[in-house]
Amino acid sequence: QKLTSYHNILTMLRSILLFVLIAAGTAFSPLPKANARSSTALNMATEVKVGDKIPAVTLSEGQADYGRPEAVDIAELIAGKKVAIFAVPGAFTPGCSKSHLPSFITAQEELKAKGVELTICIATNDAFVMEAWGRTSG
C-alpha cells in the first residue's frame, strides 16, 4: 500500500515536472536537444502537454512559524489558472538553492507577462523544510 502510494506520488511529480518544462519553457532559454542515448527526464517532455489534466494529488504546504502544514489538492489549486510548477530534488541543496529556485524567483515578472498567475515549487522534503527554504530564499 505505502509503496503504491509512493509510486503514485513520484509519477505525479514526474508529470508535473514535465508539464512545467513544456508550459513554462518558453519563459527561459531553449534547452539543448538531448543525445539519443541520454536517459534524462527531459527526453520524456513530450508525454505532458499544455492543457493536459494534472491529477488530483494532495500535497502538504508548510506554514509560517512552524504552523501545522496544510493539505493542498494541486488540481484544485491550479484549476482555471496558468501556472508554472517545478520540482527540485531537495531544498537547501547547492544546485537547487543557487540555481533552480533563484531562476524561478528572478523570472517572476517574465512569467507574469506570459500570463502565469502562480509559481509552485515541489520537492521531496517535508513541509517544514520547504517553508523554511522558501522563507530564507525570498
Side-chain angles (χ1 to χ4, degrees):
Q1 177 88 5
K2 285 185 179 182
L3 184 58
T4 301
S5 176
Y6 179 74
H7 177 70
N8 289 342
I9 290 171
L10 286 178
T11 300
M12 184 276 312
L13 287 174
R14 186 179 306 123
S15 296
I16 289 173
L17 176 60
L18 296 175
F19 176 77
V20 169
L21 290 172
I22 293 168
T26 57
F28 302 95
S29 301
L31 295 170
K33 293 223 177 224
N35 180 324
R37 296 180 188 178
S38 175
S39 62
T40 65
L42 296 177
N43 288 337
M44 298 185 295
T46 57
E47 291 180 19
V48 179
K49 297 173 188 69
V50 173
D52 282 355
K53 184 177 179 179
I54 298 296
V57 175
T58 302
L59 302 174
S60 293
E61 180 178 28
Q63 303 302 306
D65 298 322
Y66 301 104
R68 182 184 182 118
E70 291 185 11
V72 176
D73 182 314
I74 195 76
E76 285 180 20
L77 178 65
I78 67 173
K81 297 176 184 156
K82 187 172 185 180
V83 298
I85 304 171
F86 67 104
V88 296
F92 294 108
T93 61
C96 296
S97 293
K98 293 179 183 177
S99 178
H100 304 139
L101 182 63
S103 71
F104 278 88
I105 291 171
T106 58
Q108 285 305 292
E109 291 305 315
E110 190 175 351
L111 290 168
K112 286 179 185 177
K114 294 180 179 290
V116 174
E117 302 170 57
L118 182 63
T119 303
I120 301 169
C121 177
I122 298 174
T124 56
N125 301 95
D126 66 42
F128 297 106
V129 171
M130 290 301 289
E131 186 281 327
W133 191 41
R135 182 174 19 85
T136 60
S137 299

